Amino acid sequence: GGLELPRIEVNLFDFQGDLRGRTIKVEWLARLRGERKFDGKDDLIQQLQTDERQARDVVAATPLRD
C-alpha cells in the first residue's frame, strides 16, 4: 500500500445548495473527537447532535478572519 492521506469530515450548517465540482476552502478550528464505531443508529444520531452543538460553539467563539 501507499501513503494514506488523512481525511476529515466537513459539515456545512444552514447551507442550501450544490457544491459538486466546486473548490472550497476549509479552515481547521478544532478537533471535536476521533473516529469511532457506534452501537446503533440512535447512538450515532445522538453523537451527531452533540458534535453539531460543539462545532457551533467553536465557530461562535472564533473571531472572523479575512
Side-chain angles (χ1 to χ4, degrees):
L3 176 66
E4 185 171 325
L5 297 175
R7 293 187 280 172
I8 62 170
E9 180 176 326
V10 175
N11 292 286
L12 303 176
F13 302 125
D14 307 320
F15 176 81
Q16 300 270 330
D18 184 357
L19 296 175
R20 285 179 284 190
R22 306 273 310 265
T23 300
I24 62 171
K25 179 180 177 182
V26 176
E27 183 174 342
W28 186 278
L29 299 179
R31 180 178 182 156
L32 299 181
R33 64 177 169 83
E35 185 176 349
R36 63 176 270 217
K37 296 199 183 279
F38 296 92
D39 293 332
K41 185 173 84 170
D42 290 340
D43 289 337
L44 172 61
I45 290 170
Q46 184 176 4
Q47 183 62 58
L48 290 174
Q49 290 170 342
T50 299
D51 291 349
E52 179 179 352
R53 283 191 304 274
Q54 289 178 334
R56 287 181 183 275
D57 288 347
V58 168
V59 170
T62 303
L64 293 176
R65 297 187 333 188
D66 289 333

